[in-house]
Amino acid sequence: MIFTYRTLLLLGGLLLVITSHGVPLHAQQAEPVPAQAAEAANTSASLVEAYVAEALASNLALQQRTFDLVASRHALDAARRSFIPTLSVEARFSRAGGGRTIDLPLGDVLNPVYGTLNDLLVGAGQDAAFQAIPNVEVPFLRDQEQETRLRVVQPVYQPQLTAAIRLNRHLVSSKEAALSAYEQQLVRDVKVAYFQYLQAERAIGIFEAAGSLVEENLRTTQRLQRNDVVLMDAVLRAQAETFAVNQQQVEALDQRDRARSYVNFLLNRPLDTPLQGADEIATAAPELAVAFGGAGAEMQVASVNTLTDPAFDAALAAMQDAAVMQRYELDELDAAFNAQQANVSMMQAAYLPNVSVAIDGGIQGEGYGFQGDAPYYLASVVLSWQLFDGSADRSRIRQAQAGAQRIATQRAEAAQQIRLQVEQAYKAVQVARASLTSAEGRVDSATESFRIVQRRLAQGQINQVGFVDARTTLTSAQLNLNVTRYSLLARLAELEFAVGQPTTH
């Protein structure tokens, strides 16, 4: 029975080492990359980029920002068309009753004169020729009236319209930069979330291998306890190890599912859609750091051991300068500042006169027709100049100027934040690269220690506690290597985002 127990433990340990140890990683890429690993890296990098391309094509938040950009462009087009002449038709038909009247006392004035003339005519033997007339009452409103006209209005001098065009042009630039900035962020989020998914997927495999070992260890320990070879405390310890591994495996499954759901959310797909490429990227992780290129290429300049060297400072300064030039967030703030300056100009234009030309042509009268004096035309030059408004325009100008100063300050702060972000991301990558070397060494040491413990266990020189401790140490080292491996990829994605890479715009 003792021989069977040791044999099973030995087989389980070998199974754990074979299925969980994986391919050694080399953080600094000192040795040539094998052709098979390089091919896997290229395939895996293409898969990651495919997910990024899918997110850029279907992400809902990105589509919302695209619609904002489209709306801004239409607003700019509308502002430009403000200088085009407008043509409108205006028609009015009215019926009126009552209202004011104009009284003309024609009878009171002329009838006495007519009476005198008639008397003179009769005295001369002629007939009376003049009839008495009544007083006249003329209504102020016509009983029925219509006016139908075409109106053409052409702005001639409208300084506010010119400033509005500049304002909308800068707003379009701001929206374009905001869209590109979100694209950069989306690329980063997809990569980081996908690497977290791969990390959890790999951890599940490690826990599955460890679970097989601890379950076999539990069954063997229970048989030994039934045969009075070990005490009950050994069984309880084996059960505790089994529960611990099961709990860690459940947590890893939850982390994988949440990461998968988030990746699918970014890609606008059903949240439970399976993701591909876990096995290939797991073995090609170190080569991916090179295959991604971009900011990763500049990271070969200095290692973590040269953080204080001039080479590191020069590389960091170069990346910070590149980030200030390439980050679309700063372009967005620059465009917003220019838009606010155009807004100030538009407010100041309120002090200037506006000149336009208007031409009206149509018919008017009690009925419709072109007879007589019904047709008419009217050409006008209209001058509008606001001379006093209680200093309201001055207050609006100062408000716009304060807004421009706020944006300028915000831009300066954003530039400093970007420099800080690049520095932190760059150092994090260097630390992750160095951590890979330590993590590999830790796995190598834990693996060799586990093999020694297995030999000593087979020879009866060590008890179960020592074996379980060795197994726990090896699993912990493998998990640490897995975390470090994908942490490097995630930090590379963070640095790529911090430096700012070109997007589709």
Side-chain angles (χ1 to χ4, degrees):
M1 180 65 66
I2 296 297
F3 174 79
T4 302
Y5 169 60
R6 292 174 177 173
T7 302
L8 290 174
L9 290 181
L10 178 60
L11 292 176
L14 290 175
L15 176 65
L16 175 62
V17 173
I18 293 173
T19 58
S20 302
H21 183 51
V23 179
L25 301 178
H26 301 279
Q28 302 300 330
Q29 297 296 318
E31 299 179 1
V33 179
Q36 184 177 2
E39 182 178 358
N42 293 330
T43 302
S44 303
S46 299
L47 180 59
V48 175
E49 296 302 329
Y51 281 133
V52 168
E54 184 176 353
L56 293 175
S58 59
N59 182 264
L60 294 179
L62 186 61
Q63 292 177 14
Q64 295 175 30
R65 286 165 173 79
T66 302
F67 292 140
D68 290 340
L69 175 59
V70 171
S72 296
R73 287 173 175 169
H74 285 306
L76 173 60
D77 187 60
R80 286 171 174 169
R81 294 178 183 274
S82 297
F83 279 105
I84 298 177
T86 60
L87 175 64
S88 62
V89 177
E90 300 179 7
R92 176 179 61 86
F93 178 82
S94 305
R95 291 190 65 87
R100 292 177 296 170
T101 61
I102 299 176
D103 296 326
L104 299 177
L106 298 180
D108 295 339
V109 173
L110 297 178
N111 285 337
V113 177
Y114 288 167
T116 302
L117 293 175
N118 285 333
D119 292 340
L120 292 175
L121 290 174
V122 171
Q126 299 179 12
D127 296 332
F130 298 96
Q131 300 292 329
I133 62 174
N135 291 330
V136 178
E137 184 180 73
V138 180
F140 187 78
L141 300 175
R142 290 180 178 179
D143 293 339
Q144 178 175 305
E145 184 180 44
Q146 68 82 25
E147 180 180 15
T148 304
R149 64 181 176 178
L150 292 176
R151 163 165 284 195
V152 178
V153 178
Q154 170 62 62
V156 177
Y157 179 69
Q158 299 279 356
Q160 285 188 317
L161 294 182
T162 304
I165 293 175
R166 293 200 305 269
L167 170 62
N168 282 278
R169 185 184 300 117
H170 292 309
L171 289 178
V172 169
S173 299
S174 178
K175 293 296 183 182
E176 289 175 344
L179 179 62
S180 297
Y182 184 76
E183 285 182 342
Q184 289 182 335
Q185 179 182 341
L186 180 61
V187 170
R188 187 269 315 268
D189 291 346
V190 170
K191 289 182 179 180
V192 172
Y194 186 54
F195 294 147
Q196 290 175 346
Y197 165 80
L198 296 178
Q199 175 184 323
E201 184 75 17
R202 189 69 172 172
I204 291 172
I206 295 174
F207 287 127
E208 287 178 349
S212 300
L213 177 62
V214 296
E215 288 175 0
E216 182 61 29
N217 179 46
L218 175 60
R219 289 192 294 270
T220 302
T221 305
Q222 289 173 339
R223 288 196 298 269
L224 294 176
Q225 193 273 333
R226 287 195 296 269
N227 289 280
D228 297 328
V229 177
V230 297
L231 299 177
M232 190 62 188
D233 64 320
V235 176
L236 295 176
R237 181 178 177 85
Q239 287 179 341
E241 289 293 326
T242 302
F243 292 143
V245 172
N246 289 339
Q247 178 183 354
Q248 291 172 322
Q249 185 174 357
V250 169
E251 292 174 351
L253 286 169
D254 178 64
Q255 292 176 357
R256 181 199 63 184
D257 292 343
R258 286 190 284 112
R260 180 189 61 197
S261 297
Y262 186 58
V263 172
N264 287 323
F265 167 76
L266 294 176
L267 271 58
N268 191 25
R269 304 193 304 184
L271 300 183
D272 58 351
T273 302
L275 301 179
Q276 301 177 355
D279 295 336
E280 291 81 359
I281 294 184
T283 58
E287 288 76 26
L288 272 179
V290 178
F292 276 130
E298 301 178 29
M299 285 178 269
Q300 303 296 333
V301 175
S303 67
V304 73
N305 295 323
T306 60
L307 291 180
T308 58
D309 289 350
F312 175 86
D313 294 336
L316 176 59
M319 282 190 290
Q320 288 175 327
D321 292 339
V324 172
M325 296 295 296
Q326 296 176 162
R327 286 289 289 271
Y328 288 102
E329 291 90 336
L330 298 182
D331 294 340
E332 179 184 2
L333 290 173
D334 288 338
F337 176 78
N338 293 332
Q340 196 66 19
Q341 290 288 82
N343 188 35
V344 172
S345 299
M346 188 170 63
M347 298 295 180
Q348 292 173 339
Y351 291 112
L352 301 176
N354 296 322
V355 180
S356 59
V357 173
I359 301 176
D360 297 332
I363 56 175
Q364 64 179 354
E366 294 184 355
Y368 291 93
F370 293 91
Q371 297 80 14
D373 59 355
Y376 79 98
Y377 74 91
L378 177 65
S380 306
V381 176
V382 181
L383 171 66
S384 175
W385 196 348
Q386 179 177 278
L387 300 179
F388 181 72
D389 68 342
S391 298
D393 285 334
R394 181 181 300 176
S395 298
R396 283 190 285 267
I397 291 172
R398 290 176 177 174
Q399 179 184 3
Q401 290 173 339
Q405 293 173 354
R406 180 188 64 81
I407 294 176
T409 304
Q410 184 180 357
R411 203 271 186 195
E413 180 186 17
Q416 286 294 93
Q417 289 177 341
I418 287 175
R419 289 183 177 275
L420 176 62
Q421 187 179 27
V422 171
E423 179 181 354
Q424 292 176 339
Y426 187 34
K427 291 182 178 180
V429 167
Q430 299 294 353
V431 172
R433 285 182 179 277
S435 297
L436 270 179
T437 302
S438 300
E440 291 169 0
R442 179 179 173 184
V443 169
D444 293 340
S445 299
T447 301
E448 183 62 25
S449 174
F450 187 74
R451 291 171 180 170
I452 294 173
V453 168
Q454 285 179 309
R455 289 196 298 267
R456 293 181 63 189
L457 182 65
Q459 298 170 5
Q461 299 177 356
I462 194 171
N463 58 18
Q464 180 197 23
V465 174
F467 174 80
V468 172
D469 287 341
R471 193 278 310 164
T472 302
T473 300
L474 176 58
T475 301
S476 176
Q478 291 171 336
L479 290 173
N480 177 69
L481 178 60
N482 178 62
V483 171
T484 305
R485 171 189 300 155
Y486 290 107
S487 176
L488 172 59
L489 293 177
R491 290 178 179 181
L492 281 170
E494 292 284 356
L495 180 57
E496 184 182 45
F497 167 75
V499 174
Q501 299 297 313
T503 64
T504 58
H505 289 276

